[in-house]
Amino acid sequence: QVQLVESGGGLVQPGGSLRLSCAASGIIFSIHNMGWHRQAPGKQRELVALIDTGRITTYADSVKGRFTISRDNSKNTMYLQMNSLKPEDTATYYCNFNRRGYDYWGQGTQVTVSS
C-alpha cells in the first residue's frame, strides 16, 4: 500500500525556518520524481518544488532562493528546507508523486507564518 506521510509543519515567525519531511512507503522511492505542493485557504493547490530521480530540482518563482528540496533514497524520504519564511507561505504542504498517470498525495502538514 502506497503511503506518503508529511511532518515538520508548525507555527513560525516571519523570517524563520522550518524543515518538512515526507516519508514514503509501499513504493520504490528512488525511481520516482517527487514534489512538494501547497494550498492556502481559498486558493488552488500550487507546485512549490520538484526533485527528479537524478536530483535535478525545480522551484516556483515565489520560493526560489529560500526553499531547498532534497531527498534521501536510503531513507525513502524527501525534505523541504524553508528559510526566510513569509506570511504568504502559510498553507498546507503536501508531498506528491505520479505513477502510471495517477497522483499520490500525503495528508498534508500545516505551515503557519505569523507574528
Side-chain angles (χ1 to χ4, degrees):
Q1 181 180 358
V2 176
Q3 192 171 19
L4 299 174
V5 179
E6 301 96 334
S7 61
L11 173 63
V12 63
Q13 292 187 342
S17 298
L18 284 174
R19 188 194 196 203
L20 306 184
S21 299
C22 171
S25 59
I27 63 171
I28 304 173
F29 181 76
S30 61
I31 69 171
H32 293 289
N33 301 330
M34 301 292 298
W36 284 102
H37 294 69
R38 67 186 181 186
Q39 187 167 19
K43 295 188 177 181
Q44 288 190 329
R45 192 170 296 190
E46 62 175 358
L47 174 68
V48 175
L50 295 172
I51 184 166
D52 71 12
T53 57
R55 291 184 168 80
I56 302 298
T57 58
T58 305
Y59 296 94
D61 287 344
S62 58
V63 306
K64 280 181 182 176
R66 301 188 298 121
F67 290 11
T68 303
I69 188 172
S70 62
R71 65 192 296 163
D72 185 338
N73 289 341
S74 69
K75 295 181 179 179
N76 286 2
T77 301
M78 176 177 65
Y79 304 97
L80 186 68
Q81 178 66 44
M82 305 187 296
N83 299 328
S84 302
L85 282 161
K86 303 175 181 180
E88 51 263 44
D89 294 317
T90 295
T92 302
Y93 285 70
Y94 300 90
C95 63
N96 154 269
F97 77 101
N98 183 285
R99 185 172 69 181
R100 300 170 190 157
Y102 184 83
D103 279 317
Y104 292 84
W105 299 92
Q107 84 290 347
T109 186
Q110 177 66 37
V111 171
T112 302
V113 184
S114 175
S115 54

